[in-house]
Amino acid sequence: MPIDTTLNDYGRFKITTKPEDNLRFKVPTLRNSQFTFPYMHDGRFRTLTEVVKHYNTLSHDKNLPKQLARPMNLSDNDRVDLVAFLHTLTDKDFLSNKRFSAPRQ
């Protein structure tokens, strides 16, 4: 992703202080991902469809490993199917279980 210079976000580097961790970020689980917007480390995408479109048309990015730095080139149907698949990873029992809810203030 293009670097947003207004964020001053150095990723894992702030935690590890290892230069190779500059602009690297911990990747969250896909479980319940339809409810975890906004997406990307800086919140630039509001929907899973936007995320899939981003990776589908990705141009070379020197900050990504070469295996990830190429577009997916999915058809329109494949993109819709991928988002539908991500929605199947929703665990509604987990979401409604009070044991896992945020503590009350």
Side-chain angles (χ1 to χ4, degrees):
M1 295 187 62
I3 296 171
D4 184 340
T5 56
T6 63
L7 290 176
N8 295 321
D9 190 349
Y10 299 100
R12 301 287 300 163
F13 174 77
K14 277 191 146 182
I15 296 166
T16 66
T17 68
K18 294 179 183 177
E20 63 268 21
D21 286 340
N22 189 37
L23 297 175
R24 292 194 175 171
F25 301 89
K26 184 177 179 186
V27 178
T29 181
L30 293 176
R31 180 184 188 188
N32 297 320
S33 59
Q34 78 180 100
F35 298 109
T36 61
F37 64 89
Y39 301 99
M40 308 310 267
H41 73 280
D42 59 1
R44 68 179 68 191
F45 297 130
R46 303 266 319 138
T47 68
L48 288 171
T49 298
E50 290 178 57
V51 174
V52 170
K53 283 182 179 180
H54 166 74
Y55 283 107
N56 199 48
T57 59
L58 188 67
S59 58
H60 179 70
D61 184 334
K62 65 180 170 45
N63 295 315
L64 286 174
K66 66 180 177 181
Q67 300 89 335
L68 300 175
R70 33 179 215 254
M72 295 186 304
N73 295 319
L74 299 174
S75 69
D76 290 344
N77 286 340
D78 288 341
R79 286 197 322 268
V80 169
D81 288 347
L82 178 54
V83 172
F85 168 75
L86 292 170
H87 286 200
T88 70
L89 302 176
T90 297
D91 182 349
K92 292 185 180 177
D93 291 334
F94 175 84
L95 290 172
S96 61
N97 191 324
K98 292 183 184 204
R99 293 184 311 147
F100 305 117
S101 64
R104 293 189 185 245
Q105 304 248 1

